[in-house]
Amino acid sequence: MLGKLSWQQVRGGLCVVLLSVVSACSQEAADLSDSDIGAGENTPAAPVPQVPDAAFIHKNALVIDAHADIEIPGKYSRYVGDDGLSQVAPDKMQAGGVDAVVMAIAVGPGPRDEAGYEEARLRADEELAAALALAADPVNNTVIATDADAVLAAQAAGQSALILGFQNARILGREVSALDEFYAAGVRVFALTHMGHNDFADSSRPVFIGETGSYEVNEEHGGLSNLGRAAVLRINELGGVIDVSQLSKAATLEVLSLSSAPVIASHSNVQALSNVRRNRSDEEIQAIAAGGGTVHISAFRGYLFDSNDAKLDADIRTARRVAGIAEDYDYPFELYWEIDDSQIQQTYLTTISDLLGPGRVDDMIAHIDYVVNLVGIEHVGIGNDFNHGSGIAGYNDASEAQTVTEALLQAGYSENDIYQLWGQNFLRVMRAAQQGKPPSV
């Protein structure tokens, strides 16, 4: 049909015909209707639809990073970017097209007594204040989002959104009711453990006790304690999202048996590919998916490395012996904090870093592929653990998030797949948790 051709093509064809058969050309020109060639000679041809590229998809996606730690301005941190600033600073989020980040109020292991609980709460309050101050500064064009609609509204307004998270119930001491205080302050994602067991649950990462030269027991509660079970029910009642990253396998499965809402693993990779206890087993991934939840893959090379590489394993063990720490390890950097000599510690960290290499976005994609093939695209997301050691070549902070979109396209994921992975799946879980709470909360 001539209607499929541009006007220039039609005009050129008519001229050729004129040179040979003038009458035929005149008849054909008379037969051409406005609908065939447009309203007039100067009307441009309709643009040919193009396959969306990575930049188009990334710009139109709701990009959510399901986990990052909070940096406190002015305080030393070994985990910030080369510029000394947070890996998810607002300007980096905006540069990378990241619409929202779950910023976790997190503390590490410590004494489980009144002094220890007080110290943990003070640290948590300081981190909460830092996040609120960041959002309050108009220069940052950032808001605290407390529900799914607020996340979407921020995106529509061109603002960055912070979703407040919580990690380690040691912050609560032994008071389940303290959850309400954090919810009232805007926290919406709750993880019961970090490294080390607490009074609520067992961690996937038992603490090494320097004084005894051994780890704490693998399981203290066999999953959740009574406090932990009560916390799960209360988080459901509040409408918060439960995060099972860092929980032991038994605790994760118990949470899934108790929770009335879908849960997430906000920064957990695949144990079958990288045999680290903090990563999730097939059984856990399938159980999370069965409950409607999501597993968020992290750009953390210490949890992406190939644990089946015998030479790499041998080299890591040699480096650990040289550094004077236990040869057996769960993940390669483990126990660097137990090395007292700062020079030996730095040498060890550099050695392990060199052995692992810079990490690759393709490694992330391999873990995403695994979960997609196991449970489906609707149960996968991205959560990087930035500001706590995460970052790989090409994706060292939020400003480089489009690199992941490009890699997903190259791996064969569709535009809709990428929209689900980057934000829609997380938002679905957040909305389901919110809708499950009683009207009175």
Side-chain angles (χ1 to χ4, degrees), residues 33 93 143 148 192 224 237 400 438:
S33 68
M93 291 177 63
V143 298
L192 293 179
L224 302 177
E237 291 170 350
E400 298 180 322

Side-chain angles (χ1 to χ4, degrees), residues 58 82 87 92 95-96 98 299-301 304 357-365 384 386 390-408 422:
H58 196 75
D82 292 338
Q87 292 174 292
K92 294 176 184 176
V98 177
F300 201 129
R301 58 189 173 144
L304 288 170
R360 305 179 309 151
V361 174
D362 285 349
D363 297 330
M364 270 189 81
I365 303 303
N384 290 299
F386 280 139
S390 194
I392 53 182
Y395 191 28
N396 282 298
D397 60 40
S399 72
E400 298 180 322
Q402 187 176 308
T403 305
V404 178
T405 300
E406 293 167 358
L408 288 167
W422 260 128

